[in-house]
Amino acid sequence: MSNSYGKIFRITTFGESHGAAVGVIVDGCPAGLEISEAEIQQALDRRRPGQSDITTPRKEEDKVTILSGVFGGKTTGTPIAMVVNNKDQHSHDYSHIEHAFRPSHADYTYTAKYGTRDYRGGGRSSARETVARVAAGALAAKLLSHYGIAVSAYVSQVGSIKLRKPYYKLDLSKIESNKVRCPDGKTASRMIGLIEETRDKLDTIGGVVSCVIKGVPAGLGEPVFDKLHAELGKAMLSINAVKGFEYGSGFEGVQMRGSEHNDQFYTDEAGNIRTRTNHSGGIQGGISNGQDIYFNVAFKPVATILQPQQTINDAGEEITLQGKGRHDPCVLPRAVPIVDAMAALVLADFLLRQKVNQV
Amino acid sequence: MSNSYGKIFRITTFGESHGAAVGVIVDGCPAGLEISEAEIQQALDRRRPGQSDITTPRKEEDKVTILSGVFGGKTTGTPIAMVVNNKDQHSHDYSHIEHAFRPSHADYTYTAKYGTRDYRGGGRSSARETVARVAAGALAAKLLSHYGIAVSAYVSQVGSIKLRKPYYKLDLSKIESNKVRCPDGKTASRMIGLIEETRDKLDTIGGVVSCVIKGVPAGLGEPVFDKLHAELGKAMLSINAVKGFEYGSGFEGVQMRGSEHNDQFYTDEAGNIRTRTNHSGGIQGGISNGQDIYFNVAFKPVATILQPQQTINDAGEEITLQGKGRHDPCVLPRAVPIVDAMAALVLADFLLRQKVNQV
Amino acid sequence: MSNSYGKIFRITTFGESHGAAVGVIVDGCPAGLEISEAEIQQALDRRRPGQSDITTPRKEEDKVTILSGVFGGKTTGTPIAMVVNNKDQHSHDYSHIEHAFRPSHADYTYTAKYGTRDYRGGGRSSARETVARVAAGALAAKLLSHYGIAVSAYVSQVGSIKLRKPYYKLDLSKIESNKVRCPDGKTASRMIGLIEETRDKLDTIGGVVSCVIKGVPAGLGEPVFDKLHAELGKAMLSINAVKGFEYGSGFEGVQMRGSEHNDQFYTDEAGNIRTRTNHSGGIQGGISNGQDIYFNVAFKPVATILQPQQTINDAGEEITLQGKGRHDPCVLPRAVPIVDAMAALVLADFLLRQKVNQV
Amino acid sequence: MSNSYGKIFRITTFGESHGAAVGVIVDGCPAGLEISEAEIQQALDRRRPGQSDITTPRKEEDKVTILSGVFGGKTTGTPIAMVVNNKDQHSHDYSHIEHAFRPSHADYTYTAKYGTRDYRGGGRSSARETVARVAAGALAAKLLSHYGIAVSAYVSQVGSIKLRKPYYKLDLSKIESNKVRCPDGKTASRMIGLIEETRDKLDTIGGVVSCVIKGVPAGLGEPVFDKLHAELGKAMLSINAVKGFEYGSGFEGVQMRGSEHNDQFYTDEAGNIRTRTNHSGGIQGGISNGQDIYFNVAFKPVATILQPQQTINDAGEEITLQGKGRHDPCVLPRAVPIVDAMAALVLADFLLRQKVNQV
C-alpha cells in the first residue's frame, strides 16, 4: 500500500536490490510531452554506482527501457512503464546476512512487519529502489521544463564541513563540476578529502543536500494537509538515510522575532509581486509565492560499514557481523539526483493539481 | 483536494476562521471504541485561546458536538462528524485587511491560487483550522491507548532558550505543570519570561516542540514512500508555522561516523529485541523497531505582529499595515496539543494499516 | 473507509437516520462558482419525504445549512460543509427492531461487519444518507451547468408498467409535471395507480429510473478502470435498493450483431463529429464521444413492508416482525433526484479530471 | 490517473496492444502467500488468443514473468510486478487505421481526450490490456482460496441463446468442458453453432457472462459508496465491451412485490444464519451476508468486423473502412477468465479491508 507517490502525476515503483529488475509506472503524465530513453538515461547516469572513486566501485549500467506510454517520441497519456534490469542477481553469497539483523538496517523491522524478508542485498529496503524514482523524476523534470521550472540540488555539507554561502551566492551551473556535487570548488575539495579519509578508515559519514527550485509560479501547493513544503518534506524523508528536512529559515528561524522574519511584499519595476527577504522559502500558507523555493535535507552516515559490529541474529543470539562488498563511504554525491527527482515529482504533481482550482 | 489526511483512519476537515463553524469527519475509526464528547473536549481545552496570560486573550469556548458515528458511548464504524461553532463570526471589522497582502501570511498565495479569498481572520489559512485536527487527534489517541501507545509533545525551545536534556531524562508527567508546557520547571520559567518580554515589545517569537511516542510495537510504518517518519514529517510540516522536522539523530547526526551512529541490537533479559543506542529514533527503513520514537518540530515566529509593517494591497500599491486584535506572542504552548494530535493521527493510521500485511 | 466519492470533486458524507444530523463535505469544488443555500434546498425538496400521497407521509423539512467554503455568494476553493439536522431524533420507540434482523435490510450484515449497529431507523444504512448526496449533487449540477451539461433522470418503469418510448421521443421538461416523475402523462397515471394499489395492500414495488445527460463534450471519462460508464455504474449501484445498471444498448444489445450495433461516424453540417445511431450510449472506450449519454437503473421493492414477516433476532431465534411507521410503497419518485445527484457528481469529477490530460 | 484499481490490494497496469509489453504491479498483497509463475500462467492460458476455433486464430504465447515481490516461492509484502512481452510488435501495417475513426472503437474518443493516440491495434484501448488484469486476478484468486472463497464465471447467453437454469442448478465443474465455457453441454453446443455461423458471415455477436462467488463470509463490502455490488459493478463495467451489470434479482426483480422479494432469515441446523431465498444475491446494504453472490454481465458484439463500414477519418472526411486481421467473432469465451479476475480482485480487496473494521 505504500509504493505509490503523487495524486495526479502518480508513480508506482517495484523491485528488490538483487531481484530481476527495478522499475516504475508513471500514471497521469499529460499527453504530448516529448521524451526519450536517452533523457531518462542521463538522469540515471548521475545516480549510477561506480561513477567516481568516492562512490561505491560496483559497476552497474542501469540501462533503462521504456515499455509503454510513449509513441512517436511523445507521451500519449497512458501509463509509462520503465524498467532497469539488475545485473548479477544470482552471483552473490548472502549466507552471512541471511539470518543477521544488521545494525541500523531494516532487516529486523521488515521481519517484524512481514514475518519474512528478501535478505539479498537488503531486498526492497535497499537504496537501489531509488533507480525507479530517478527515472520517474527525469520525466517529471521534463514536464517542469515546459513550464520554466528548474530544480537544482547540491551537496552543502559533509560531516562537519559546511558550505557557508547561501544558495543565491552560488553558481549552480557548477554542481556537476566536481565529483561531490558541491558548486563551491574549495569546499568540494575539503569534502572529497573527508570522504576519502573516512573511506580509508572503513567508515562512513553523513551530510546535507540543499535544493533550490526556480521558476515556480505563485499558486502551487495545496492548503491544509498537502502543503507544498509538507509534500516536499515527505518526499525527502522517504529517501533512504534521511533524518531531517527544513525549508526557508528552517530550524535557525525559530530564534528570530516576527518583526525580523516577516517577508515584506513589494511590486518590482516589471510589476511583479515580490518579497524583500525570503525567510518563507518561497512558500506561504503551503502555497508557492513565486520566490525561489529552497530547503535542506539531512542524511545520516550509511549503515553498512566494513568494520566488525556486534548485533543479533533472527534467533536473538549475539553475533559479530563483518561487512563486505563494495559500498559508498558517503551517499551524498549520489543522493543529489535522488533529491532532484523527488522534488521534480512533487512539483509536477502540484503543477497539474493547480489546473483544477478555479472555474 | 487537500483537506483529508490518512489512508484508513482518514480525516476530512472544513471551516474558516470566522465562518459559521469548523469541524471534521473521521472515516475509518474501528467500531467498538469507547469515546465521549468530554474526552474530545479535554483535548480542545488544551488548544483553546485564552487559557493563560502568555497566549492570546481571545475567549473562545470551542465546545465540540459529535454529530454521528457514536452510539451508546461507542464508535459504530460509521463516520464520526464533530463540529465546533465559531463565536462572534459577524462582529468584526475587516476593512483594514480586505485588500491587504499581510507579510508572511497566505493572503497573496490564496489569491494567486483561487482568484479570491475569505479575508475574515485569514479564512481557511488560519490556525483555527487545527481545532478540527485536535478533535480528530483525541479520537486517534483514544484508539492508540487501547494498544498501549502514548504520545507526549512538549516545548523544548523558545527563541534561543533551549532545553538541553534529552527526552529520556525528563519527567514527561510534568508537561502540564506550567503554562508553556515545558517539563523542566527552570527552563519553563525562562521561556515564559522571554515570551512575556516579546509580547510587551509587540513582537513574536518562534521555538521547537519535541515529541516522544512510547509503546509502539515493531512493524508500524510502510516502506518506500509512506515511511513512518516521512508521514510524521508531512503531518508536522502541515501545521501552520512549521519550518522543519527532524527525528532521531536529525541534523546533528550528519556529522557522525557510521560506526558511532549505528544502533547495536541486543536481546534483553525479558527476551525482547532492543538497541543499545537509539540514534534511529525508533524507526529503521521507515518501520518502527519497538524503541521510543522521538522528533523535533521547528515553528517560526507568528506572522501577526502588533507593529506597523510595510506591504502591498491587491492592486500592487504600497501600504502600511497596523496589526490589531488579540494574538499569540508565541504559538508554542498551544502548538503542543496540535503536535500530539497529528502524531496520534499518523500512528492510528499505521496501526490499522499494519493489520493487512500478512496472510 | 468508504464514505467518500470522487477523485477531484470529492464528497465525504456522514450521519445516521435518527442521529443528530446528516451532512457532507465537498472538497475540490473549484473557486468562483456562484451558489446559494436556496439552490441546494431546491434539490433537497425534490427528495423530501411527504411531498405527495404516493411517498412516505413522514414530514421532514430537511433544511440545509452551508457551514463553510462559500463567501460572498461564491465558492472559495475551500471545503464546503453542508448539514441537515434530523427532526425528532429522540421520539421513537425502537424496541421491536433493537434485536431483530429485518429481512433484506442491513441489520444482520452491519452486525457481522462491525460487531454492533445503530438500530434506530436503520442507522447509517438508511436511505436518509442520500440527503447528503443530493446536497452535494446540487452543487455538482451547478458546476456542470457552467459547462452546458444537463442531467435528467425520470421514472421509466414501476413494477411491470414500462414506458416504451426511448428517451429522445420524450419531453423531458415534463418530468416534474406529475408526482411519479415520469415525463409521459398516460404512463405516469398508470404508474401512480399501481403504487396506490400496492400501498393499500401494505406492500411495496420496484421499478427503473432512466437518465439522460446532454451537452457532455467528447473526451470525459478515463480509460481502463475509471471508464465513464463504470463510474456511473458504481455511483448508481451505491444508491440504496439498486440491483442493476445498463447504458446504451445495455442487456438487449447482447443479441445484436456487430454490423447492427456499430455506430457509424459522420460529420454534420456544422462540422461536428456525430454518430448515426447511438447504441454506444454516448461513451466509447470509457470516454464520452459527444453524443447523449443514457442509462437505466433498476430498483428493487422497498424492504420495509407493513405486513408481518418471519425472521430471526440477534440470538438466532425465530421471531415475527410487524413493520410499523410511515414508509414509501415505491421509492422510484424520490429516487429520481438521487440519480440526478450521483450522475452530476460523476460528471463533475470527470470534467475536472479532463483538465490535466494534455500538456 | 485511472490505471489503478483497489484500495489495499491495489493493481496498476500498463501497456499497449502493440507496444513492447503489457504488465501490472500488485501493491498490497499480504506477505506469506505461496505463488508461482505457473499458477499465473494457467490463468493467462484461459484468456490466450488462439485457444480454440471460435476465438481469434492469432497465436500469442502470453508468457508471464514475475519481476519482484516473490522470494522463495512466497510473497514478501513488497510490490509484485508481472510482465508479458508482446510478440510481433513491429510486423504490422497500420496505414488503413492510422487516420480512421473506427465505428464503436475508441479511436475518436482517445483523440478527443489526449490530442493523440497510439493507433497500433487500438493501443491502450485494446482488450489486450486485460492480460495484466488476469495475471493480477490469478494472484487475488490464490489469496481468496486461502480463505475458502471461490469465483466461478461462465457464459450464460450468446446472442438470443440463453441458459435458462439458475446457477444453483448447474454443475460449475463443467465450465471448462467445452470451448464456449457454458457449463450446460446442450446449450453450449447451440452457442458454438451460433458463433460459427456469425463468424462465417464476417460478423460478431454479444452475450452474457454470469458469475457465482461461494464461501464469502458475512461482513465483506463497505457501506455507502464502496458497496460490495457497486465495486463489482464498476469492476465488470471497466472490462472492454461491457454494457450492463445486475446482481441478485437484478432487472427482473423490479417487478416483484416487497413481500415476495424479501429474503427471510432463519438459523440452520448447524447454527448458521441463512436466508430461505436469495434475491439479495448474497449482499445486503452493500455487505455480504454469507449466501452465494451471483451476478450477470452484458457484453456487446465486438466492434471489429470484417465487413466494409462507412466512417470518417481524423480530417472529418467520409471513408470506407475494411476490417482485416484475425479477430474474435464473440468475446464471451475469453471474457470468462477476465470476469473471474476482476471479481477476485474486488473480493481480495474487501477481504483485506474488513480486517480493520473492529477494535
Side-chain angles (χ1 to χ4, degrees), chain A residues 58-76:
Chain A
R58 282 197 312 276
K59 289 285 178 206
E60 284 170 282
E61 265 191 272
D62 289 351
K63 187 93 189 64
V64 71
T65 305
I66 299 176
L67 292 179
S68 65
V70 177
F71 182 59
K74 289 191 176 181
T75 59
T76 61

Side-chain angles (χ1 to χ4, degrees), chain A residues 1-5 7-8 11 13 101-106 108-110 112-115 124 129 133 157 159-160 194 197-198 203-208 218-227 229-231 233-234 237-238 240 242-251 253-259 261-267 273 276 279-281 284-285 287-289 296-303 305 307 309-312 316 318 342 353-354 356-358, chain B residues 1-5 7-8 11 13 101-106 108-110 112-115 124 129 133 157 159-160 194 197-198 203-208 218-227 229-231 233-234 237-238 240 242-251 253-259 261-267 273 276 279-281 284-285 287-289 296-303 305 307 309-312 316 318 342 353-354 356-358:
Chain A
M1 279 207 292
S2 67
N3 297 284
S4 295
Y5 189 77
K7 293 223 168 168
I8 291 183
I11 70 170
T13 70
F101 291 150
R102 290 171 298 162
S104 290
H105 272 280
Y108 170 57
T109 55
Y110 264 65
K113 182 167 200 66
Y114 296 112
R124 182 77 179 148
E129 179 269 335
R133 303 185 186 206
Q157 187 173 351
S160 56
L194 177 58
E197 183 193 316
T198 308
D203 216 332
T204 60
I205 185 81
V208 174
L220 303 201
E222 304 277 329
V224 191
F225 298 110
D226 297 355
K227 290 187 165 84
H229 57 269
E231 281 298 340
K234 175 178 170 178
L237 288 155
S238 78
N240 307 50
V242 172
K243 304 294 285 187
F245 170 87
E246 60 180 0
Y247 81 104
S249 60
F251 274 90
V254 308
Q255 304 196 24
M256 295 170 81
R257 296 298 184 283
S259 54
H261 194 278
N262 283 354
D263 295 319
Q264 239 177 69
F265 285 108
Y266 72 101
T267 308
I273 293 175
R276 295 198 191 276
H279 298 119
S280 297
Q284 290 169 330
I287 304 167
S288 61
N289 68 357
N296 297 320
V297 187
F299 288 80
K300 68 165 188 174
V302 179
I305 57 176
Q307 306 172 20
Q309 294 181 93
Q310 287 304 110
T311 189
I312 58 173
E318 305 239 340
M342 292 309 299
R353 290 173 75 172
Q354 175 57 6
V356 297
N357 279 307
Q358 297 186 26
Chain B
M1 281 206 290
S2 66
N3 297 284
S4 295
Y5 190 75
K7 293 222 169 171
I8 291 182
I11 71 170
T13 70
F101 292 150
R102 290 171 297 162
S104 291
H105 272 279
Y108 169 58
T109 55
Y110 264 66
K113 182 168 200 68
Y114 296 113
R124 181 76 178 147
E129 180 268 335
R133 303 185 187 207
Q157 186 172 351
S160 56
L194 177 58
E197 182 192 315
T198 307
D203 216 333
T204 59
I205 185 79
V208 174
L220 303 201
E222 302 278 328
V224 190
F225 298 110
D226 297 354
K227 290 186 164 85
H229 58 268
E231 282 298 340
K234 176 179 171 177
L237 287 156
S238 78
N240 307 50
V242 171
K243 304 293 284 187
F245 170 87
E246 60 179 0
Y247 81 104
S249 60
F251 274 90
V254 309
Q255 304 195 25
M256 296 170 80
R257 295 297 183 285
S259 54
H261 193 278
N262 282 355
D263 295 319
Q264 238 178 71
F265 284 107
Y266 72 102
T267 308
I273 292 175
R276 297 199 189 273
H279 299 118
S280 298
Q284 290 169 329
I287 304 166
S288 62
N289 68 357
N296 296 320
V297 187
F299 288 79
K300 68 166 187 172
V302 180
I305 58 176
Q307 306 173 20
Q309 294 182 92
Q310 287 304 110
T311 189
I312 58 173
E318 304 237 340
M342 293 309 299
R353 289 172 77 172
Q354 175 56 6
V356 297
N357 279 308
Q358 296 186 27

Side-chain angles (χ1 to χ4, degrees), chain A residues 62-327:
Chain A
D62 289 351
K63 187 93 189 64
V64 71
T65 305
I66 299 176
L67 292 179
S68 65
V70 177
F71 182 59
K74 289 191 176 181
T75 59
T76 61
T78 63
I80 298 161
M82 297 185 277
V83 174
V84 171
N85 289 321
N86 290 330
K87 279 179 64 177
D88 304 328
Q89 44 166 314
H90 300 300
S91 61
H92 296 278
D93 172 20
Y94 304 102
S95 55
H96 65 301
I97 56 167
E98 180 172 349
H99 296 288
F101 291 150
R102 290 171 298 162
S104 290
H105 272 280
D107 301 333
Y108 170 57
T109 55
Y110 264 65
T111 305
K113 182 167 200 66
Y114 296 112
T116 182
R117 77 177 195 278
D118 177 349
Y119 49 77
R120 300 168 303 167
R124 182 77 179 148
S125 74
S126 163
R128 183 144 186 83
E129 179 269 335
T130 59
V131 164
R133 303 185 186 206
V134 170
L139 187 64
K142 187 68 189 287
L143 179 65
L144 294 180
S145 74
H146 269 255
Y147 293 88
I149 301 171
V151 176
S152 302
Y154 57 93
V155 174
S156 61
Q157 187 173 351
V158 171
S160 56
I161 300 172
K162 199 168 177 174
L163 177 60
R164 298 281 162 190
K165 291 180 196 161
Y167 78 89
Y168 50 82
K169 292 194 178 164
L170 297 170
D171 178 356
L172 298 175
S173 72
K174 294 208 173 142
I175 294 171
E176 289 300 301
S177 68
N178 58 66
K179 58 193 177 189
V180 80
R181 295 198 167 97
C182 172
D184 183 81
K186 278 194 187 164
T187 313
S189 299
R190 294 175 56 220
M191 288 171 170
I192 292 167
L194 177 58
I195 294 172
E196 289 171 341
E197 183 193 316
T198 308
R199 179 195 59 200
D200 295 347
K201 288 183 182 155
L202 307 181
D203 216 332
T204 60
I205 185 81
V208 174
V209 171
S210 296
C211 185
V212 188
I213 313 176
K214 288 172 173 287
V216 181
L220 303 201
E222 304 277 329
V224 191
F225 298 110
D226 297 355
K227 290 187 165 84
L228 178 41
H229 57 269
E231 281 298 340
L232 282 171
K234 175 178 170 178
M236 297 306 142
L237 288 155
S238 78
I239 299 172
N240 307 50
V242 172
K243 304 294 285 187
F245 170 87
E246 60 180 0
Y247 81 104
S249 60
F251 274 90
E252 287 191 10
V254 308
Q255 304 196 24
M256 295 170 81
R257 296 298 184 283
S259 54
E260 298 170 84
H261 194 278
N262 283 354
D263 295 319
Q264 239 177 69
F265 285 108
Y266 72 101
T267 308
D268 72 9
E269 279 139 36
N272 298 313
I273 293 175
R274 304 184 62 90
T275 61
R276 295 198 191 276
T277 50
N278 186 14
H279 298 119
S280 297
I283 303 171
Q284 290 169 330
I287 304 167
S288 61
N289 68 357
Q291 306 305 298
D292 294 337
I293 292 170
Y294 63 98
F295 58 83
N296 297 320
V297 187
F299 288 80
K300 68 165 188 174
V302 179
T304 301
I305 57 176
L306 300 182
Q307 306 172 20
Q309 294 181 93
Q310 287 304 110
T311 189
I312 58 173
N313 62 19
D314 54 17
E317 301 156 344
E318 305 239 340
I319 57 170
T320 300
L321 191 73
Q322 173 71 51
K324 58 183 187 178
R326 295 156 300 173
H327 298 279

